């Protein structure tokens, strides 16, 4: 018995450094946003280490690079960003360029919506709110990962195929849930223009007092005219509830709700997913919880 225990202990002692070495030498993917990071984890499993610059609840429009970000990106074998200027002032592109790391823009291949109310043509960057677009993100990540590690290509394809099936199921479920809202009540009023793709995909109308960005970029910042238009729209459609967002200050929306005679229907995940151990910590969880909140408040 004693000999057996000693042999087991010796075997573990020999294997532990090997396991630790394998863990330390996994390829590293550094992502800009929480959604992109979740997509990457679905594709790579434990084959690669996925890190994210943004934390839950942080706004990619307003994020300013920190001293440690360049060091983190410099460790990456691959960088992933959303693109279309979601990352304010293109901070992820700049970090990748600064450190000489390869970067993939996940929104590539999505059919863009144009940002409303601006003089120059700009793509709305919140494309992931359509499950169809989310599937494009996943395929872009899958292809980039296979190029990085072709030896395990079949594994990445299999994981991606399973997750793409889940996204198709999610899409069908959202359509059924939104159908529970009376057609004339399908107006989604939120803090900023994050939900245009969602509304287009699932038969709702979007209304917001600001623009696509919460920062100082094109379309950002409330004007008295935009504020009044939003209030008038809420009254015209007799909207029951409007919504705040987890990554945006809710003060303005609460004031508009009070003035328009609507209630706050709840908090929606928008530019960032939920914190670990919350219902919205994954993309599917985030979308599920958003839809349940919207339907319960508007039906």
């Amino acid at each position: 018995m004693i000999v057996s225990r000693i042999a087991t202990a010796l075997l573990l002692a020999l294997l532990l450094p090997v396991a630790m070495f394998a863990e330390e030498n996994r390829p590293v993917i550094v992502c800009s946003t929480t959604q992109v990071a979740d997509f990457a984890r679905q594709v790579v499993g434990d084959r690669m280490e996925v890190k994210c610059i943004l934390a839950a609840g942080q706004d990619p429009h307003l994020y300013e690079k920190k001293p440690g970000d360049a060091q983190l990106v410099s460790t990456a074998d691959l960088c992933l960003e959303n693109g279309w200027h979601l990352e304010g002032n293109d901070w992820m592109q700049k970090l990748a360029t600064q450190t000489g790391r390869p970067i993939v823009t996940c929104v590539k291949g999505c059919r863009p919506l144009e940002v409303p109310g601006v003089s120059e043509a700009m793509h709305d960057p919140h494309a992931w709110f359509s499950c169809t677009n989310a599937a494009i993100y996943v395929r872009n990540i899958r292809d980039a990962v296979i190029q990085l590690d072709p030896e395990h290509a079949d594994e990445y394809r299999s994981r991606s195929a399973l997750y793409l099936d889940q996204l198709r199921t999610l899409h069908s479920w959202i359509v059924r849930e939104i159908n529970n809202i009376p057609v004339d009540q399908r107006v989604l009023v939120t803090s900023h223009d994050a939900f245009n793709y969602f509304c287009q995909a699932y038969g709702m109308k979007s209304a917001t007092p600001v623009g696509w960005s919460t920062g100082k970029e094109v379309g950002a910042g409330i004007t008295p005219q935009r504020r009044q238009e939003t209030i008038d729209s809420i009254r015209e459609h007799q909207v029951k509830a409007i919504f705040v967002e987890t990554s945006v200050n809710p003060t303005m929306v609460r004031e508009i709700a009070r003035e328009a005679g609507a209630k706050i229907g709840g908090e929606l995940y928008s530019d960032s997913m939920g914190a670990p151990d919350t219902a919205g910590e994954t993309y599917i969880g985030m979308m599920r919880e958003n839809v349940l909140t919207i339907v319960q408040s508007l039906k």
Side-chain angles (χ1 to χ4, degrees):
M1 180 67 71
I2 294 175
V3 172
S4 176
R5 288 177 179 174
I6 292 173
T8 301
L10 287 172
L11 179 62
L12 289 173
L14 290 171
L15 291 178
L16 185 59
V18 175
M20 290 177 64
F21 180 79
E23 183 81 8
E24 289 173 357
N25 283 272
R26 290 186 300 169
V28 173
I29 300 176
V30 176
C31 306
S32 60
T33 70
T34 55
Q35 289 90 350
V36 168
D38 186 49
F39 294 147
R41 291 187 183 101
Q42 301 300 327
V43 174
V44 305
D46 290 330
R47 282 285 176 197
M48 300 185 185
E49 185 176 5
V50 178
K51 300 179 180 180
C52 188
I53 291 180
L54 288 185
Q58 285 190 304
D59 187 337
H61 300 294
L62 295 176
Y63 185 78
E64 295 183 1
K65 293 183 294 182
K66 294 180 173 55
D69 291 342
Q71 175 61 33
L72 175 61
V73 171
S74 71
T75 68
D77 296 280
L78 175 68
C79 295
L80 300 174
E81 67 161 1
N82 183 87
W84 288 348
H85 309 298
L86 177 75
E87 295 85 357
N89 296 314
D90 296 325
W91 51 262
M92 189 63 181
Q93 280 280 351
K94 291 176 181 177
L95 283 168
T97 300
Q98 175 186 342
T99 55
R101 311 316 296 162
I103 186 166
V104 169
T105 298
C106 295
V107 80
K108 183 178 180 180
C110 295
R111 180 174 296 178
L113 296 177
E114 298 303 317
V115 177
V118 298
S119 57
E120 56 184 299
M122 296 194 69
H123 297 336
D124 182 339
H126 304 89
W128 68 87
F129 273 113
S130 154
C131 291
T132 302
N133 286 338
I136 294 174
Y137 282 52
V138 171
R139 293 187 188 101
N140 285 335
I141 294 169
R142 176 201 62 197
D143 293 346
V145 166
I146 288 173
Q147 187 173 358
L148 178 63
D149 180 23
E151 181 180 351
H152 300 103
D154 288 345
E155 188 176 309
Y156 300 132
R157 290 191 186 100
S158 293
R159 283 201 196 88
S160 300
L162 174 60
Y163 190 62
L164 291 171
D165 283 344
Q166 293 172 351
L167 291 179
R168 282 188 283 270
T169 299
L170 176 64
H171 173 84
S172 299
W173 175 82
I174 294 174
V175 171
R176 291 197 303 270
E177 289 294 312
I178 295 298
N179 283 339
N180 291 319
I181 305 173
V183 173
D184 60 355
Q185 285 293 307
R186 295 179 192 174
V187 180
L188 185 60
V189 183
T190 57
S191 306
H192 80 297
D193 278 331
F195 291 88
N196 290 323
Y197 290 93
F198 179 89
C199 290
Q200 183 194 61
Y202 303 111
M204 298 193 71
K205 178 182 178 182
S206 176
T208 168
V210 192
W212 71 262
S213 168
T214 52
K216 297 179 180 179
E217 296 141 302
V218 174
I222 188 170
T223 64
Q225 179 182 358
R226 188 72 179 265
R227 188 179 191 278
Q228 191 58 49
E229 287 173 355
T230 303
I231 292 171
D232 292 343
S233 179
I234 293 169
R235 290 172 175 166
E236 176 188 352
H237 294 280
Q238 297 181 327
V239 176
K240 293 181 179 180
I242 66 178
F243 302 88
V244 297
E245 301 174 35
T246 56
S247 58
V248 180
N249 190 316
T251 302
M252 173 188 60
V253 172
R254 295 187 188 280
E255 292 173 353
I256 288 173
R258 185 169 57 251
E259 188 170 340
K263 68 178 182 180
I264 297 295
E267 194 173 51
L268 302 180
Y269 298 104
S270 59
D271 289 348
S272 181
M273 300 190 314
D277 299 322
T278 66
E281 70 173 327
T282 65
Y283 173 78
I284 289 177
M286 174 194 83
M287 294 289 282
R288 179 193 64 231
E289 297 306 308
N290 279 357
V291 170
L292 291 173
T293 299
I294 292 166
V295 171
Q296 288 302 311
S297 298
L298 296 182
K299 71 179 183 179

